[in-house]
Amino acid sequence: MALDFIPGISKALIATSWRLSTKPYTTNDQFHQEVVEDNTVVVAFRRSFLEKDWFAPANESSFGETKMDPAEFPSMISFSNDVDADARATVNEAFLKSLQLLISPSCTQSVKTLVENMRPRRIVFTGHSSGGATAILAAVWYLETFFTKKCSDFPVCLTFGAPLVGDYVFKHGLGRENWSRLFVNFVTRFDIVPRIMLAPKASTKQALPYALSQLGRTRAPIQENDQTIAGFYATVMKDVETAARQAACELIDGENAFLETFSSFLELSPYRPAGTFVFSTGTRFVEMSNSDAILQILFYAYQSTNEQELSERPNQSIRDHHGYEEMVDSMGTKDVYQLDLNHFLSDGGEYALFDLRLSTSARECVRAAFEAEKKRNDNQSKIETTITKQSTTKKSIEEKLKWIEEEYKQPRCQAPAKGYYDSFKESNDDNDFKANVTRAELAGFFDDVLGLMKKGQLPDGFEGDSDWIKLATGYRRLMEPLDIANYYRHLKNEDTGSYMGKGRRPKRYKHAQKLDEHDLLKSGGTAEKIMASCLSICFWAEVEDLRGKKYDEVTNEGTVEERVTKLENFLIDEKVDDHIFLEGSTVTKWWHSLPEHHKRSSLLQQRMGYTRAT
Amino acid sequence: MLRSGLLHSSWNKISELRASRAHQVQTPGLGIKLFQETKYTVAVFVAPPINITCPLNSASTLLSGTEEQNPFHFLCSEKISSFSLHTPAFQLFDSAYKNLFGLKKELLESKKPVIITGAALGGSVASLFTIWLLETVEAKLKRPLCITFGSPLIGDAKLQEILENSLRNSCFLHVAYASQTPMKPNFKPFGTFLICFDSECLCIDDPEAVMELLGGASAVDQIDYGEVLDRLDQTVMEDSRLMIDDVITRMEERAEKKKVRFDQLKKLNDIKISMIYIEWYKKKSKMSKIGYYDRFKTHLVSSASPFDVDIEKRKIEVNDYWRSLVEEVEKKPQSEKSVLKTRSLFSGNNYRRMVEPLDIAEYYHNGGREYRASGRSRHYVMLEKWFREAYPKEQHRGKGTDLSELLTFDSCFWSEVEDALIMIKSLNTQEGDREALLSKLVRFEEYVWEMISKREVSPEIFLEKSSFMKWWKEYKEIIKGFRSSDFTKFMKDRMYERYGQAC
């Protein structure tokens, strides 16, 4: 079977990447570069076996982790985890720092300058060991900085025995942007390095500098009875076990309050596998990208019940950390087995699991990981069916939106009507009632989907899918005015305050807006354009809030006069729908209720058909 | 769980404390020690052996009443006001109350997570202390973990029921040797159990299954759980799977039942849709100048349109939903009541004001009287009570606000109207004490007037065919010539026609 992890990545390119990743440095340079195959450039990052390059010395958290800055990494975020406060991705600070050094303007040999010169050539980011970690972050940075949805020359990241770099949100962000496929991590079976980050700093601290120095020595093998090394490997694997077993419990049991309490007493690593992993098993390669399953394999593939075998593991592990030469050489001759959901469902992944010598309970855990993936996929197809296909009892989501747009909104948005906002607010007509029921049905659907996203029960890519973003944005633009009308019709502002106040605006709209904004950002939209996209719906709430205020009042959001002017400017500058200015519309009625002296100098005069009172 | 080391280190601390007390002669009562570990704080409880201090089947203590009488008062709910505890454990707890008070304060301030542990009777006291420590639990706060070894059950079915509905239940891990943990009649387990057999163990939280697996009569103090844990540690590495088929089947059945109960609460969106129908029903009725209260009342008498029939069905649906929601909340210990979130509090209030009038119509149609005192469903009372507790003073409606969508604040308004109509009927047929009836009617008039002045009543009561207007027409005749007030002027001058309009 051919190697086809990523189209266009040849065996030769992988070999070049490996060679460059391990090429010695004679200077202070931090990376090597080489142009190959005309249009591709390989950038390999320097590895280090010094403790400070693995755990940032000043970092006080248990796993040396830090949050990514959303200004620099706008995609490394979860939008659905908590709609009110974006969950930022967590990554290892030492690895992030080594990247930041290379992209800072003061850097003499800057990656930034390099890639700017090399574009539009395709770039392969690569590295061995900690160099692989830098490569991963460099690739993410490159995607964030230079890529908009229109680009096609995607970079690739190939790592050899790299440690884990980021957490669940990091993995989720890569998945949502459809970038996961660009990351391929080669891992030999017993290599300890991809497992090290699953252990807390505290438990490995003393032995780590020594263990790293041993890993750095490519030639002389360690003494058979080196107790420090044996202890280090045992400790790391115990923590890997805790992480893997805890993750398996969550996969099998789902939400469980006791498990939650219990795990708060354990030091659980935030790091999770991201991208594709290719394990070498001796007889073949096993390729997989289910993060949960990879985590289980990282633990179980190392396990043994045989004392003799276990005592040999440290040596094997060090050998394996440098065993990528052999892995690269055997590419093309050995079989590649794809352990993905489809294969797993058809033959239970027998070959791969046998090669990795997994026990029965290990297979159960891997199975649970795939079952969870299947459930996510099933949830997605259920949603997609609801969107497009009409069931016997219910109309599809698309049909409902279409009805609102064509049968409800349009006829109400031409004079002498008042616009669909006000028509809905008054609700005197059978169709207003019908629209109200449709509003609630749609809300139920979008709330359910958001609930699934929040619990991680949809594929990571679902939120980033352009069809979904389009649907959610269309829904928000069409329906949110009706929700605002409903809110003010029932005087909820007198009970709980403004629609835009904390905890009032439905989360489904906040989330849809975030996706829309992110999409605009990714396609190169400006900050102004993004701001306007939000206001174009929510100005209704602002009008309603201002209606209840006196012109000379001072509110928490500034004086009423300022707010009025701001709103007017928006109505003039942006291409808002004409129906907003129909006679009898809330906007028109509100504007005419403003004091004469304001109207006289207002820019909206013409639009409102204002003639000065004589 | 076994491999985490938490269980081993807890057991070691217990052994350590036991050993340090062993050479002291005849230590009565309770031994408590705090261990400050790097990652967490461990509070260890050691108690005298069970068979020395008391027979195992010793009596239970019933706890009820106020805070002064019952240190666990905060656990009581609207539904469950008392429960029983294992007397020896409670006595030990009670005797050390002062010390424990200081410990509680210290642990609540602890920055590190807290483990509370003990074996046998010491574990029982540890459990009691943990419950007490959990007087305030919030979903977001770090919860402590209580680990007991071979402890007898401490409470009855009521305590179990209280904890089952509480986050507190997630804070207990009871390690118990299957054949050597005696059961006390009427007592029930709570929390999660790690049930140990000779070389295997099972982790479950289903109380019924725990009851089925535990048992035996021998004393519990003699087991060295350190050894048990070591033995299990060995076997966990191999593939062991304990299958007790029928126990598992029954567990699944119960889990399924629980899920059904949970699903009922999940159809919130269907309820919202039904409310939209009822809202539309109200609007349509208003257009035909009758008001939805009177339309519902009329269609109960005469034949109804499909729309009316549908509304009747939807009313039942939303009532069922809220009734079961209120029941769930009532089971929660009072210190956890805030679980009824602001949003449900408001929608519950909205529901009550919208739907209760329909229930009132039905009640009087069936010949009922004095609804507020004797006909009202408990869930309305509770919804109103909780809303009042959270918002003692409801915002007045603004002077210029359009009230056409307003729901009358007092959801029992229509029952007052009905009672007033009944009084008028009595007056007309010359039954009862005329003076008393008249003064009651005047009181009703004042009640209405107050609501009108505060803008708390829906303008729909003034619709032509409404029961309220019917009352007014008859009342007007009765008081003719001897009573005039702001209200009568308001009505006679038809000022109500402009009531509630926006200005």
Side-chain angles (χ1 to χ4, degrees):
Chain A
M1 194 189 283
L3 269 179
D4 50 359
F5 307 120
I6 309 166
I9 296 293
S10 62
K11 189 192 160 187
L13 194 57
I14 298 173
T16 308
S17 300
W18 167 248
R19 180 171 50 76
L20 228 49
S21 293
T22 48
K23 188 176 159 191
Y25 287 82
T26 48
T27 59
N28 270 336
D29 287 353
Q30 294 301 313
F31 56 84
H32 293 305
Q33 65 194 71
E34 192 172 308
V35 179
V36 285
E37 295 173 9
D38 304 334
N39 59 350
T40 302
V41 54
V42 179
V43 185
F45 293 89
R46 188 172 185 163
R47 58 190 173 180
S48 159
F49 292 97
L50 297 175
E51 190 193 10
K52 70 171 178 57
D53 294 322
W54 290 65
F55 290 108
N59 186 302
E60 282 179 358
S61 46
S62 306
F63 293 85
E65 72 270 27
T66 186
K67 296 267 179 206
M68 289 182 111
D69 178 6
E72 207 172 357
F73 298 98
S75 305
M76 294 298 106
I77 263 180
S78 161
F79 296 114
S80 43
N81 195 296
D82 181 350
V83 172
D84 292 311
D86 293 333
R88 293 187 275 154
T90 295
V91 287
N92 178 302
E93 189 176 358
F95 300 150
L96 185 63
K97 280 214 162 120
S98 72
L99 168 74
Q100 272 160 344
L101 220 65
L102 292 174
I103 53 174
S104 79
S106 58
C107 179
T108 43
Q109 190 211 12
S110 151
V111 180
K112 197 169 174 191
T113 328
L114 172 77
V115 296
E116 274 166 359
N117 294 338
M118 288 301 170
R119 291 193 75 200
R121 266 180 277 229
R122 181 167 63 159
I123 299 178
V124 176
F125 294 92
T126 188
H128 173 234
S129 200
S130 72
T134 316
I136 292 171
L137 289 169
V140 174
W141 163 80
Y142 181 76
L143 285 160
E144 292 271 30
T145 317
F146 297 100
F147 269 72
T148 62
K149 296 225 155 169
K150 290 168 208 133
C151 297
S152 56
D153 49 341
F154 279 104
V156 173
C157 177
L158 306 174
T159 74
F160 304 91
L164 301 182
V165 169
D167 70 341
Y168 171 79
V169 177
F170 183 80
K171 176 224 134 202
H172 169 79
L174 291 182
R176 187 190 56 235
E177 304 300 323
N178 195 16
W179 292 342
S180 293
R181 63 199 163 90
L182 308 172
F183 293 77
V184 181
N185 307 285
F186 296 100
V187 175
T188 43
R189 184 169 162 201
F190 298 116
D191 190 352
I192 196 78
V193 173
R195 296 160 164 114
I196 280 183
M197 287 299 152
L198 294 170
K201 261 188 324 196
S203 69
T204 55
K205 204 174 181 178
Q206 299 207 315
L208 186 68
Y210 179 63
L212 285 176
S213 73
Q214 289 298 322
L215 280 170
R217 291 169 55 171
T218 44
R219 294 282 168 250
I222 52 154
Q223 306 287 311
E224 285 294 330
N225 54 358
D226 189 329
Q227 286 307 309
T228 317
I229 288 294
F232 174 79
Y233 281 79
T235 311
V236 170
M237 287 317 295
K238 193 171 185 303
D239 290 319
V240 173
E241 174 174 8
T242 309
R245 287 200 191 269
Q246 193 64 28
C249 276
E250 274 165 40
L251 284 172
I252 295 164
D253 279 1
E255 276 173 62
N256 177 321
F258 172 71
L259 217 58
E260 212 177 280
T261 308
F262 193 82
S263 56
S264 72
F265 285 83
L266 307 175
E267 275 195 294
L268 291 169
S269 170
Y271 301 114
R272 286 291 173 272
T276 301
F277 276 62
V278 181
F279 290 97
S280 72
T281 69
T283 48
R284 71 189 100 213
F285 296 123
V286 177
E287 178 202 344
M288 55 202 298
S289 42
N290 178 319
S291 176
D292 296 322
I294 295 166
L295 181 66
Q296 297 302 321
I297 301 260
L298 283 177
F299 166 56
Y300 284 108
Y302 191 94
Q303 263 328 98
S304 172
T305 45
N306 182 319
E307 290 286 329
Q308 179 63 30
E309 271 179 33
L310 271 180
S311 69
E312 286 163 10
R313 285 286 190 267
N315 265 326
Q316 271 175 325
S317 175
I318 292 176
R319 268 202 307 279
D320 267 8
H321 189 54
H322 295 281
Y324 293 93
E325 182 90 44
E326 201 188 322
M327 190 173 175
V328 173
D329 281 347
S330 60
M331 278 176 194
T333 53
K334 280 188 196 168
D335 276 356
V336 179
Y337 183 90
Q338 275 188 324
L339 187 55
D340 59 14
L341 184 58
N342 287 334
H343 285 80
F344 196 83
L345 290 177
S346 62
D347 68 6
E350 278 308 318
Y351 286 124
L353 301 181
F354 178 77
D355 279 353
L356 291 164
R357 309 232 187 95
L358 297 198
S359 62
T360 320
S361 61
R363 288 171 194 216
E364 286 291 310
C365 295
V366 173
R367 167 174 297 279
F370 282 109
E371 293 288 344
E373 183 180 342
K374 182 167 181 297
K375 202 171 161 211
R376 289 194 290 271
N377 291 347
D378 290 350
N379 284 339
Q380 172 163 8
S381 43
K382 218 185 283 169
I383 289 169
E384 280 162 357
T385 318
T386 321
I387 292 172
T388 50
K389 292 205 186 75
Q390 207 166 312
S391 76
T392 42
T393 49
K394 278 184 182 164
K395 277 189 181 162
S396 72
I397 298 298
E398 279 177 349
E399 201 114 327
K400 283 179 183 147
L401 287 168
K402 195 170 161 229
W403 182 83
I404 294 275
E405 176 68 45
E406 289 171 9
E407 311 277 320
Y408 186 73
K409 181 179 172 183
Q410 281 172 14
R412 279 163 188 76
C413 287
Q414 282 146 20
K418 299 170 178 165
Y420 83 128
Y421 177 90
D422 283 274
S423 165
F424 187 81
K425 201 174 162 196
E426 279 170 26
S427 278
N428 286 325
D429 188 272
D430 276 338
N431 272 337
D432 295 320
F433 159 67
K434 218 174 136 191
N436 201 3
V437 172
T438 309
R439 177 187 67 85
E441 286 167 347
L442 289 166
F445 169 75
F446 282 90
D447 281 345
D448 284 350
V449 176
L450 182 60
L452 287 174
M453 286 178 189
K454 204 175 160 176
K455 285 192 239 148
Q457 286 177 2
L458 282 171
D460 290 331
F462 182 85
E463 268 177 284
D465 177 57
S466 56
D467 284 345
W468 172 257
I469 298 174
K470 216 175 122 200
L471 182 79
T473 304
Y475 162 68
R476 180 170 66 91
R477 286 172 186 274
L478 187 62
M479 298 307 285
E480 190 165 12
L482 300 191
D483 265 295
I484 298 174
N486 194 55
Y487 188 88
Y488 288 94
R489 167 173 57 185
H490 288 295
L491 307 177
K492 289 190 192 170
N493 54 322
E494 298 198 356
D495 287 331
T496 52
S498 165
Y499 175 83
M500 294 304 281
K502 198 166 172 274
R504 305 284 153 258
R505 187 177 177 210
K507 290 201 167 100
R508 56 181 182 273
Y509 292 129
K510 287 188 197 167
H511 182 253
Q513 184 187 324
K514 286 218 166 123
L515 290 187
D516 185 29
E517 286 174 1
H518 187 69
D519 195 51
L520 285 170
L521 184 79
K522 285 278 130 186
S523 38
T526 60
E528 289 80 39
K529 204 176 150 201
I530 293 168
M531 271 287 276
S533 140
C534 161
L535 254 178
S536 64
I537 311 297
C538 297
F539 77 90
W540 283 112
E542 180 70 356
V543 174
E544 292 282 5
D545 287 337
L546 288 173
R547 277 179 77 194
K549 305 263 178 337
K550 290 195 189 73
Y551 189 71
D552 50 10
E553 228 176 289
V554 180
T555 66
N556 290 337
E557 298 83 26
T559 67
V560 170
E561 194 180 341
E562 282 163 11
R563 285 172 68 181
V564 170
T565 315
K566 206 171 142 206
L567 179 60
E568 284 186 329
N569 287 337
F570 164 78
L571 292 174
I572 293 158
D573 292 344
E574 293 304 319
K575 285 187 202 115
V576 291
D577 294 346
D578 283 342
H579 70 84
I580 289 161
F581 302 105
L582 287 168
E583 207 180 332
S585 135
T586 296
V587 173
T588 311
K589 281 197 289 191
W590 160 76
W591 190 86
H592 283 286
S593 76
L594 289 168
E596 279 301 317
H597 66 85
H598 176 92
K599 285 187 279 190
R600 240 174 268 146
S601 53
S602 167
L603 296 163
L604 272 180
Q605 269 181 20
Q606 211 185 348
R607 199 80 225 242
M608 294 293 182
Y610 173 78
T611 43
R612 189 174 296 197
T614 45
Chain B
M1 204 179 292
L2 279 166
R3 305 278 290 169
S4 70
L6 283 183
L7 298 183
H8 287 88
S9 80
S10 299
W11 176 257
N12 291 342
K13 300 259 157 25
I14 296 170
S15 309
E16 196 180 311
L17 185 59
R18 274 184 170 176
S20 74
R21 285 163 58 89
H23 49 79
Q24 300 169 28
V25 192
Q26 290 266 313
T27 26
L30 200 62
I32 311 165
K33 191 170 174 190
L34 264 191
F35 294 83
Q36 296 290 348
E37 302 286 288
T38 41
K39 288 292 170 189
Y40 35 77
T41 304
V42 188
V44 181
F45 287 75
V46 172
I50 292 173
N51 37 11
I52 294 181
T53 40
C54 58
L56 195 74
N57 281 338
S58 52
S60 54
T61 308
L62 181 74
L63 289 180
S64 62
T66 63
E67 260 167 273
E68 286 76 38
Q69 293 158 330
N70 176 3
F72 299 100
H73 175 73
F74 60 88
L75 282 181
C76 296
S77 63
E78 308 276 357
K79 276 275 153 69
I80 303 165
S81 60
S82 68
F83 51 87
S84 294
L85 293 178
H86 187 212
T87 303
F90 181 66
Q91 277 172 348
L92 274 173
F93 174 85
D94 206 37
S95 69
Y97 191 77
K98 267 197 188 134
N99 288 339
L100 293 178
F101 199 83
L103 183 65
K104 179 179 182 180
K105 201 163 167 278
E106 194 177 338
L107 291 184
L108 284 177
E109 284 162 7
S110 166
K111 290 210 174 70
K112 288 183 267 184
V114 174
I115 294 180
I116 298 151
T117 189
L121 198 52
S124 303
V125 183
S127 292
L128 278 180
F129 177 74
T130 307
I131 296 176
W132 194 49
L133 188 67
L134 287 164
E135 177 165 349
T136 45
V137 276
E138 278 173 48
K140 288 203 177 122
L141 285 181
K142 271 232 152 127
R143 302 192 282 265
L145 178 65
C146 175
I147 305 176
T148 74
F149 297 91
S151 299
L153 301 181
I154 60 162
D156 62 357
K158 283 185 186 163
L159 180 67
Q160 188 244 320
E161 200 184 333
I162 294 169
L163 292 174
E164 190 187 34
N165 291 298
S166 162
L167 264 181
R168 294 180 178 88
N169 209 30
S170 74
C171 300
F172 295 88
L173 178 63
H174 305 290
V175 184
Y177 211 77
S179 58
Q180 307 201 24
T181 307
M183 307 297 290
K184 188 173 151 47
N186 305 327
F187 271 32
K188 285 263 173 106
F190 59 85
T192 301
F193 276 74
L194 187 71
I195 299 179
C196 308
F197 300 85
D198 288 328
S199 59
E200 289 165 314
C201 63
L202 190 65
C203 188
I204 47 173
D205 59 4
D206 180 303
E208 298 302 318
V210 170
M211 302 272 284
E212 284 172 33
L213 292 172
L214 294 183
S218 61
V220 280
D221 264 6
Q222 318 310 331
I223 298 174
D224 180 353
Y225 277 92
E227 267 174 35
V228 175
L229 294 175
D230 282 342
R231 203 163 58 225
L232 291 172
D233 222 7
Q234 296 300 315
T235 51
V236 154
M237 286 313 302
E238 288 146 37
D239 285 322
S240 75
R241 198 123 213 223
L242 192 72
M243 282 293 186
I244 307 171
D245 284 335
D246 57 329
V247 173
I248 288 171
T249 321
R250 264 170 288 162
M251 263 169 71
E252 278 165 0
E253 281 168 17
R254 282 188 290 266
E256 195 55 39
K257 258 187 215 156
K258 215 170 176 179
K259 199 171 147 252
V260 170
R261 206 177 61 187
F262 181 72
D263 282 350
Q264 278 179 347
L265 299 180
K266 264 186 71 184
K267 50 174 192 174
L268 178 65
N269 210 55
D270 293 343
I271 298 306
K272 282 188 188 157
I273 291 173
S274 280
M275 286 299 285
I276 290 174
Y277 274 87
I278 298 176
E279 196 184 307
W280 183 238
Y281 177 76
K282 178 170 173 282
K283 190 109 192 189
K284 289 286 256 189
S285 312
K286 181 181 165 188
M287 286 176 192
S288 49
K289 296 203 165 21
I290 181 165
Y292 78 125
Y293 172 79
D294 282 281
R295 169 156 174 188
F296 195 80
K297 206 169 109 181
T298 329
H299 100 237
L300 285 172
V301 185
S302 55
S303 66
S305 71
F307 189 30
D308 292 305
V309 175
D310 181 52
I311 289 303
E312 217 172 321
K313 259 193 256 156
R314 291 184 187 273
K315 178 182 84 102
I316 293 168
E317 186 192 18
V318 294
N319 276 345
D320 285 347
Y321 170 83
W322 281 102
R323 216 173 272 140
S324 58
L325 188 90
V326 167
E327 243 170 66
E328 288 294 311
V329 176
E330 274 194 298
K331 279 190 204 153
K332 298 255 180 211
Q334 51 184 352
S335 52
E336 270 176 76
K337 200 90 68 43
S338 55
V339 284
L340 195 66
K341 295 196 190 92
T342 319
R343 212 173 271 201
S344 346
L345 213 52
F346 274 103
S347 47
N349 202 42
N350 186 51
Y351 149 77
R352 175 172 61 83
R353 287 173 179 172
M354 178 74 97
V355 179
E356 192 168 5
L358 304 184
D359 278 337
I360 293 172
E362 210 167 83
Y363 180 79
Y364 285 92
H365 168 73
N366 293 330
R369 280 168 178 239
E370 300 193 344
Y371 171 86
R372 202 195 286 268
S374 48
R376 203 172 181 204
S377 163
R378 179 179 172 84
H379 76 287
Y380 287 127
V381 180
M382 298 318 293
L383 282 175
E384 184 166 359
K385 186 178 158 214
W386 293 333
F387 187 78
R388 283 280 153 265
E389 279 166 6
Y391 301 93
K393 269 193 162 176
E394 197 173 352
Q395 279 273 313
H396 281 204
R397 294 299 164 197
K399 273 253 154 31
T401 314
D402 179 2
L403 296 184
S404 51
E405 300 286 338
L406 180 88
L407 294 167
T408 304
F409 277 27
D410 181 5
S411 54
C412 292
F413 170 80
W414 288 107
S415 77
E416 299 290 342
V417 176
E418 292 292 348
D419 287 336
L421 277 168
I422 292 170
M423 287 176 226
I424 285 183
K425 207 167 159 194
S426 308
L427 271 180
N428 290 345
T429 52
Q430 315 222 321
E431 286 166 32
D433 181 350
R434 192 179 160 79
E435 283 311 305
L437 283 171
L438 265 179
S439 76
K440 271 190 191 168
L441 279 171
V442 170
R443 235 179 294 146
F444 171 70
E445 181 205 306
E446 285 163 356
Y447 155 83
V448 177
W449 181 237
E450 193 190 333
M451 288 202 298
I452 292 171
S453 358
K454 285 191 185 159
R455 294 170 60 90
E456 287 180 359
V457 71
S458 161
E460 288 179 24
I461 66 166
F462 304 115
L463 289 172
E464 233 167 84
K465 298 181 218 163
S466 97
S467 291
F468 176 75
M469 292 309 272
K470 187 176 159 209
W471 168 82
W472 164 244
K473 272 173 218 143
E474 299 194 22
Y475 181 65
K476 193 169 64 180
E477 293 308 312
I478 289 169
I479 57 164
K480 206 178 214 169
F482 77 90
R483 180 175 165 83
S484 82
S485 61
D486 290 341
F487 172 75
T488 54
K489 191 167 155 24
F490 177 84
M491 294 302 289
K492 277 181 189 151
D493 297 351
R494 305 178 80 87
M495 275 148 73
Y496 56 80
E497 283 170 4
R498 281 177 37 224
Y499 168 80
Q501 283 176 7
C503 48

